[in-house]
Amino acid sequence: MSLVHTFSVGRLRCHTLEAGLQRLDGGAMFGVVPRPLWEKRAPPDERHRIPLALRCLLVEHPDGPVLIDTGVGDKENPKFHDIYGIENAGDPGPTRLEDGLAAVGVAPDDVRLVVNTHLHFDHAGGNTRLANVDAAILDSSEFAAELAFPNATYVVQRGDLEFARRTNERTRASYLPKNFEPVSVANRWRLFNGDGEVVPGIALRVTPGHVPYHQCIVVRDGGESAVFLADLVPTAAHLPLPWIMGYDLEPLRTLESKRALLEEAASRDWLLVFEHDPVIATARLERTTRGLELRDEVRVATAAVG
């Protein structure tokens, strides 16, 4: 198994990149689903956490490389890494995302578009990187951050950027300004208001629920499609409609977003790309007497999972 999985959508060459691993509380990850059910699919560790990939997607596009989500990045301290069970390399040195990009021959300076599904730290932390400090100084209040992809335009829903700036007691731990405000300072945002096409063949689909302006990314070419699911269906274990994260702010909206997108993916034979599944990178759907189930699963080596 490889840390990079390459596949094609029509003429577009795509790569899943394993940007590291995090571990979050299993109960929080499965919401109202009882532990005797979810632990069969996602066995927890001694701290009741389950392993989760930090998987990004690189699309080789004629307009230049497009990177979808950026993992955690290199700016957090050891206490943060321990709380969230993060394995990301760096500290100092390249992050696993940088290693993955290098493995497919892409440098950070080559990336032309960075598309964020939303601005939570595990999806947008790699937007920026440590700047002008010793890498050992990891207190976020003590350093400046710079763009990790200096030649890229960054894409997100306008609503999510505004939501990230108006945090409350429930949301502020997930939206960290150092991951997105340097993009604002550099005037590098391209903000969308709803669904839209970023470049030919790469489209945004707003799928609210996890957060109000969460979006999935659909890649299309030559009659083929793939969808980057982000936190709408974070792992293959979350395929059943009611298996929704406790982290979701509006779970009933997640339910309807999930129902609509999975029905379309099944009817049109879309390839699913899972951002957080620790083993399954991509799969397709098939209808069975038990409902929608996965087929054609591709498994990858995320990190030391166990």
Side-chain angles (χ1 to χ4, degrees), residues 11 16 30 41-42 49 56 99 112 140 155 201 203 254 288 295:
R11 296 162 296 177
T16 62
F30 290 101
R41 301 189 183 197
R49 304 177 304 178
C56 307
D99 288 341
R112 287 298 178 266
S140 63
V155 174
T254 298
T288 73
R295 63 174 173 84

Side-chain angles (χ1 to χ4, degrees), residues 15-256:
H15 313 273
T16 62
L17 307 178
E18 302 303 318
L21 191 77
Q22 64 180 337
R23 290 179 172 85
L24 298 181
D25 183 83
M29 281 300 298
F30 290 101
V32 300
V33 179
R35 176 167 176 160
L37 296 181
W38 63 254
E39 69 179 355
K40 295 178 182 178
R41 301 189 183 197
D45 65 14
E46 68 283 355
R47 294 170 67 176
H48 312 292
R49 304 177 304 178
I50 64 170
L52 298 164
L54 298 168
R55 185 173 297 112
C56 307
L57 182 65
L58 182 79
V59 181
E60 295 185 29
H61 193 275
D63 292 349
V66 178
L67 179 63
I68 301 172
D69 277 355
T70 62
V72 171
D74 68 353
K75 303 183 300 299
E76 306 306 336
N77 60 34
K79 180 179 179 181
F80 186 98
H81 284 197
D82 178 66
I83 291 171
Y84 294 105
I86 292 170
E87 299 175 10
N88 186 39
D91 302 338
T95 63
R96 287 184 180 163
L97 176 56
E98 291 170 322
D99 288 341
L101 289 168
V104 297
V106 174
D109 289 0
D110 297 331
V111 175
R112 287 298 178 266
L113 280 172
V114 172
V115 182
N116 290 131
T117 58
H118 59 301
L119 295 174
H120 280 177
F121 69 77
D122 56 329
H123 297 259
N127 284 0
T128 60
R129 62 190 176 196
L130 289 170
N132 303 318
V133 295
D134 188 296
I137 302 174
L138 297 177
D139 182 345
S140 63
S141 66
E142 300 295 332
F143 64 82
E146 63 184 9
L147 300 189
F149 305 96
N151 297 318
T153 297
Y154 289 69
V155 174
V156 78
Q157 289 292 317
R158 182 183 301 276
D160 195 62
L161 179 59
E162 294 173 352
F163 190 72
R165 290 169 167 166
R166 299 193 309 269
T167 57
N168 56 34
E169 293 82 355
R170 174 73 187 272
T171 63
R172 69 170 57 108
S174 297
Y175 284 114
L176 307 181
K178 60 192 173 183
N179 294 331
F180 52 85
E181 291 300 4
V183 184
S184 303
V185 171
N187 194 28
R188 301 299 283 277
W189 282 120
R190 181 182 172 193
L191 301 175
F192 277 72
N193 297 300
D195 297 352
E197 191 171 61
V198 183
V199 290
I202 299 180
L204 312 177
R205 177 75 60 88
V206 180
T207 48
H210 178 61
V211 292
Y213 300 94
H214 180 278
Q215 61 186 0
C216 296
I217 314 303
V218 181
V219 180
R220 295 190 181 99
D221 190 66
E224 299 177 349
S225 297
V227 58
F228 188 79
L229 294 166
D231 278 340
L232 180 65
V233 188
T235 76
H238 290 84
L239 189 63
L241 290 179
W243 290 48
I244 293 170
M245 291 187 289
Y247 295 112
D248 285 22
L249 301 182
E250 301 172 285
L252 294 182
R253 294 190 77 192
T254 298
L255 179 65
E256 295 312 316

